[in-house]
Amino acid sequence: MSAIESKKANCKNCYKCLRNCPVKAIRFTSGQAEIMPDLCISCGTCVRICPQGAQQAESQLKTVQRMLDRGERVVASLAPSFYGAFKVDDPMKVVGALKKLGFAKVCETAVGAALVSDEMVRIAKQDEMDNIITTCCPAVNDLIEKHYPELVKFLAPVVSPMVAHGRYIKHKDPEAKVVFVGPCLAKIDEARDVREDDAIDAVITFADMEEWMNKEGLVLTEQEPAALDSEDAGLARMYPTNAGVLHNVKARGLTGWQMQHIEGSDACFEMIKALKQGEMHHIFIEMNMCVGSCMGGPARMKERPSRFSAGMKVRDYGREADEEVATIDNEGIKLHKSFVDRSKPAKMPTEEEIKAILRSIGKESKNDELNCGSCGYPSCRAKAIAVYQGKAELSMCLPHMFQIAQSTSNVVLDNSPNIILVADENLKITELNAAGQHVFGISRPDALNKYLYELFDPRDFEFVLESYETIIGKPLTIDEYNLTVEQTLVYLPNQHGVMGILRDVSAEKEQQESLYQLRVDTMNMAQKVIDKQMIAAQEIASLLGETTAETKAT
């Protein structure tokens, strides 16, 4: 299961989500995007960049509301990024708003961060690991467990601040239901991980909180500030900012390790490559998938300060603490976490199978492989492998589909016996097929430099441009070319022009005139025969009369 859901009805074949997904965890079927939970790391990139809203974050807001409706004791674990995430004069109004929504207590997740900092320093001082990657970011943890399991050995075997804080709250208050409130989508998956699902009962994002306040009619700027119901966490409040974890472990006296702060998927992949190649040793690495660390989380408020100003506010908030290194009694809370290989390698095609797929999309040789990335994959070969694995479709190759469409349209245009032409709103010719070029005795390049009125009377085209009405089967005689046609004219709204299909009926007209003349001649001949028959009949009658008279006299 993934914290991100696909809404197929809204997907429009743009492949923007796939192009931006750092782990290509999106499958396309019948042109529709579908999240692949086994590969997804819930970083939220697709949710943030999808122009149609086809990828949406799971919401546990109703779960939290049901807890409150049942009268349960619900405690909020509020991510320290709250201090700079909201456009409000006093950040403590956020605490007041949560209490107004029904939370019994609002405690700061930074308390859990302080516990985690102590544990990471303890592990680092044991000096038993070659490199240490912080495990505060669940998206990074999923990235390594699902896609780079050979690096699991470098993950600090420590739970995240959210999990540590949830266990801490429940240790202090066993009846409490703990709800994490923050800007991260990956926390939703982390909270239901079977290794730590005892800590957090639900997760709501800052965006969920905004939606909830809007429904309740609460205006954040009008709320009364309220105090947090937790200990002073000191510098641990700086966890969501750039190098916030490093600031904390240094303040706790960690020395002897080189330290690196990594943020953003590109930087994460670069560091992973260096680790795989064995270039890094004895490095303490703070790694975050979001640029700006948690201050750049994907599930923030719609109207929010920039991550830069927000980060500065949170850093100042941390420095204002009564003591830099807060002393939080662990009290036997479990902070260890075992990370494992959760990868599911897909079957790979043979070289011949890859070449066969490439040929099916017009890639006969290396020169045909554009590697343009429009399909979402970095190369044509990567796309061919994805097709083999059922993740992609052949039709996702946009240059190939364009060539097919262009080729098909050219076949239709060039083989049609009718004159097909297109004119823009100024009646300038923008397309003329082979039949039209033959009839008008002009090449296509020359035609594209002419206007309709240079070939024939365009008044019917003007009518369609002005009225947007379609004309079907209207006759037109073009004396200059001894031509009679039937016009079908259609307005093209996207091009602001008119497409005309002119069917040559000159031969039909001549045939009709010949047939008419034949009918006239036949009628004239018939009339002459009838006249002769009448005269003959009169003469016969006269002869019969004379004969009858003679017979009577005799």
Side-chain angles (χ1 to χ4, degrees):
M1 190 173 180
S2 171
I4 300 170
E5 304 169 339
S6 299
K7 302 296 182 181
K8 293 186 177 181
N10 293 330
C11 193
K12 301 296 182 183
N13 289 314
C14 70
Y15 310 129
K16 189 174 183 180
C17 57
L18 184 58
R19 284 197 299 274
N20 289 275
C21 178
V23 292
K24 307 304 177 194
I26 299 173
R27 174 194 292 117
F28 276 84
T29 305
S30 300
Q32 301 292 313
E34 178 186 351
I35 298 294
M36 302 172 68
D38 289 343
L39 301 179
C40 181
I41 60 175
S42 299
C43 64
T45 301
C46 58
V47 175
R48 179 172 51 81
I49 58 90
C50 180
Q52 299 296 328
Q55 310 302 335
Q56 296 183 3
E58 175 189 344
S59 175
Q60 297 186 351
L61 185 56
K62 290 183 179 179
T63 300
V64 176
Q65 291 171 336
R66 283 194 291 268
M67 290 179 187
L68 293 170
D69 290 342
R70 289 193 297 263
E72 295 179 349
R73 181 176 174 78
V74 184
V75 177
S77 172
L78 181 60
S81 53
F82 86 93
Y83 206 85
F86 296 84
K87 278 192 172 182
V88 61
D89 56 343
D90 185 349
M92 291 304 170
K93 289 183 177 181
V94 177
V95 180
L98 287 170
K99 291 186 176 182
K100 191 76 170 288
L101 290 170
F103 287 94
K105 286 184 177 181
V106 179
C107 301
E108 195 169 18
T109 317
V111 171
L115 293 172
V116 167
S117 297
D118 290 337
E119 182 67 6
M120 282 194 291
V121 169
R122 185 188 69 79
I123 291 170
K125 286 183 175 180
Q126 290 177 346
D127 209 16
E128 295 176 355
M129 297 177 68
D130 185 12
N131 298 295
I132 296 177
I133 299 175
T134 60
T135 49
C136 305
C137 176
V140 167
N141 300 344
D142 279 357
L143 174 66
I144 293 176
E145 286 190 309
K146 292 183 178 182
H147 298 275
Y148 300 96
E150 64 271 34
L151 302 184
V152 164
K153 61 186 178 182
F154 296 141
L155 290 174
V158 185
V159 298
S160 71
M162 176 188 79
V163 174
H165 192 224
R167 288 175 177 168
Y168 181 82
I169 292 172
K170 290 190 174 187
H171 177 77
K172 295 281 190 182
D173 187 353
E175 298 299 319
K177 296 288 186 180
V178 181
V179 175
F180 176 76
V181 185
C184 180
L185 296 182
K187 292 294 185 184
I188 297 172
D189 284 336
E190 183 186 26
R192 56 181 167 225
D193 188 324
V194 294
R195 292 169 289 183
E196 48 202 1
D197 58 3
D198 61 326
I200 301 295
D201 296 285
V203 172
I204 62 172
T205 65
F206 288 154
D208 290 329
M209 182 180 168
E210 179 181 35
E211 178 187 341
W212 193 0
M213 288 191 297
N214 289 340
K215 286 183 179 179
E216 295 294 330
L218 297 182
V219 179
L220 186 58
T221 54
E222 297 175 359
Q223 301 308 303
E224 288 294 324
L228 289 161
D229 302 299
S230 56
E231 301 92 328
D232 190 326
L235 285 180
R237 292 169 172 173
M238 297 172 63
Y239 251 59
T241 64
N242 297 334
V245 180
L246 298 186
H247 281 301
N248 274 268
V249 296
K250 287 178 182 178
R252 283 165 167 77
L254 181 61
T255 58
W257 287 77
Q258 293 189 60
M259 296 190 180
Q260 286 281 345
H261 166 241
I262 308 296
E263 61 178 46
S265 59
D266 290 343
C268 287
F269 284 119
E270 192 172 353
M271 175 57 77
I272 285 171
K273 181 179 178 181
L275 290 169
K276 286 178 64 179
Q277 293 175 347
E279 298 175 6
M280 314 295 286
H281 298 286
H282 215 250
I283 312 294
F284 190 97
I285 306 164
E286 178 183 345
M287 192 178 292
N288 298 288
M289 281 299 292
C290 292
V291 174
S293 192
C294 297
M295 300 311 301
R300 294 169 289 164
M301 303 273 283
K302 290 181 180 178
E303 293 294 329
R304 58 181 182 266
S306 72
R307 60 183 174 86
F308 304 105
S309 62
M312 288 190 290
K313 287 183 69 174
V314 173
R315 280 194 292 272
D316 291 341
Y317 173 53
R319 294 189 183 104
E320 291 169 2
D322 293 336
E323 52 182 328
E324 284 191 352
V325 179
T327 303
I328 308 294
D329 188 357
N330 186 326
E331 299 185 23
I333 295 167
K334 181 184 175 184
L335 297 177
H336 177 82
K337 180 177 180 179
S338 296
F339 291 93
V340 296
D341 179 352
R342 294 165 59 201
S343 64
K344 294 186 178 180
K347 184 180 177 182
M348 293 296 291
T350 64
E351 185 64 25
E352 281 306 310
E353 287 170 327
I354 292 175
K355 288 180 178 179
I357 293 171
L358 289 171
R359 283 195 296 270
S360 69
I361 53 176
K363 315 296 182 184
E364 298 289 344
S365 68
K366 279 285 185 183
N367 292 334
D368 296 325
E369 296 178 25
L370 301 179
N371 301 324
C372 64
S374 60
C375 63
Y377 289 93
S379 67
C380 295
R381 284 180 63 85
K383 187 271 181 81
I385 293 171
V387 169
Y388 176 84
Q389 294 172 343
K391 300 176 185 176
E393 299 176 316
L394 292 172
S395 60
M396 289 168 61
C397 181
L398 299 185
H400 178 61
M401 296 307 295
F402 176 76
Q403 289 174 357
I404 290 177
Q406 191 176 48
S407 176
T408 302
S409 64
N410 287 342
V411 168
V412 172
L413 284 172
D414 291 342
N415 290 279
S416 173
N418 300 319
I419 301 169
I420 301 177
L421 57 82
V422 179
D424 64 17
E425 56 189 336
N426 297 315
L427 297 179
K428 187 175 182 180
I429 299 171
T430 58
E431 189 56 76
L432 182 66
N433 71 339
Q437 296 167 39
H438 174 72
V439 169
F440 295 122
I442 189 173
S443 68
R444 183 175 178 276
D446 289 340
L448 300 186
N449 289 317
K450 289 186 176 294
Y451 292 84
L452 275 183
Y453 51 75
E454 296 182 68
L455 300 180
F456 57 84
D457 185 352
R459 67 183 67 185
D460 291 326
F461 282 77
E462 292 175 333
F463 171 79
V464 173
L465 280 170
E466 293 172 0
S467 65
Y468 308 140
E469 293 182 14
T470 298
I471 292 177
I472 299 176
K474 183 176 180 180
L476 171 68
T477 298
I478 306 176
D479 295 328
E480 298 90 327
Y481 298 95
N482 194 26
L483 182 68
T484 300
V485 297
E486 277 187 357
Q487 304 176 95
T488 295
L489 308 181
V490 180
Y491 179 69
L492 305 176
N494 292 337
Q495 291 82 11
H496 302 293
V498 180
M499 179 180 72
I501 301 175
L502 311 183
R503 188 170 72 89
D504 186 355
V505 294
S506 301
E508 292 179 18
K509 184 178 180 181
E510 290 180 4
Q511 187 177 7
Q512 288 175 352
E513 290 176 350
S514 297
L515 183 58
Y516 176 77
Q517 188 60 46
L518 178 60
R519 288 173 178 170
V520 171
D521 292 343
T522 300
M523 289 178 64
N524 289 337
M525 290 178 66
Q527 188 63 48
K528 288 179 182 179
V529 171
I530 291 170
D531 291 343
K532 287 181 179 180
Q533 288 177 339
M534 291 295 293
I535 292 171
Q538 290 173 356
E539 290 178 352
I540 291 170
S542 177
L543 291 172
L544 286 173
E546 291 177 5
T547 303
T548 301
E550 289 177 359
T551 301
K552 185 177 181 183
T554 302

